[in-house]
Amino acid sequence: MIQRIRSWVRGMAFRARSDSGMTTSEYAVGTIAACAFAAVLYKVVTSQPVMSALQSLLKDALDAKF
């Protein structure tokens, strides 16, 4: 019986000490990184070379003969 109680207490202590999940500062850094990546991606997609390539691709797709 004592062994079972000790085992239970050790398990509870381990769960209390385990670091699962992110803290608020990690969420903040992750959010800032995601916004920065989105801004860079937006700039790349709206650049003139990429826009002309996308327009060409769409024009070719719409003019396809079946």
Side-chain angles (χ1 to χ4, degrees):
M1 181 69 169
I2 296 290
Q3 188 67 12
R4 288 178 57 185
I5 293 172
R6 284 182 185 163
S7 175
W8 181 80
V9 168
R10 279 190 210 123
M12 292 303 287
F14 177 76
R15 286 187 202 104
R17 284 186 306 222
S18 68
D19 187 19
S20 59
M22 291 194 307
T23 61
T24 304
S25 60
E26 290 171 327
Y27 278 117
V29 170
T31 302
I32 291 170
C35 290
F37 180 71
V40 169
L41 187 61
Y42 177 77
K43 281 294 198 184
V44 168
V45 170
T46 57
S47 68
Q48 189 58 39
V50 174
M51 288 293 283
S52 64
L54 286 174
Q55 287 175 351
S56 173
L57 181 71
L58 285 173
K59 184 177 185 223
D60 291 344
L62 293 174
D63 289 339
K65 295 179 181 168
F66 294 101

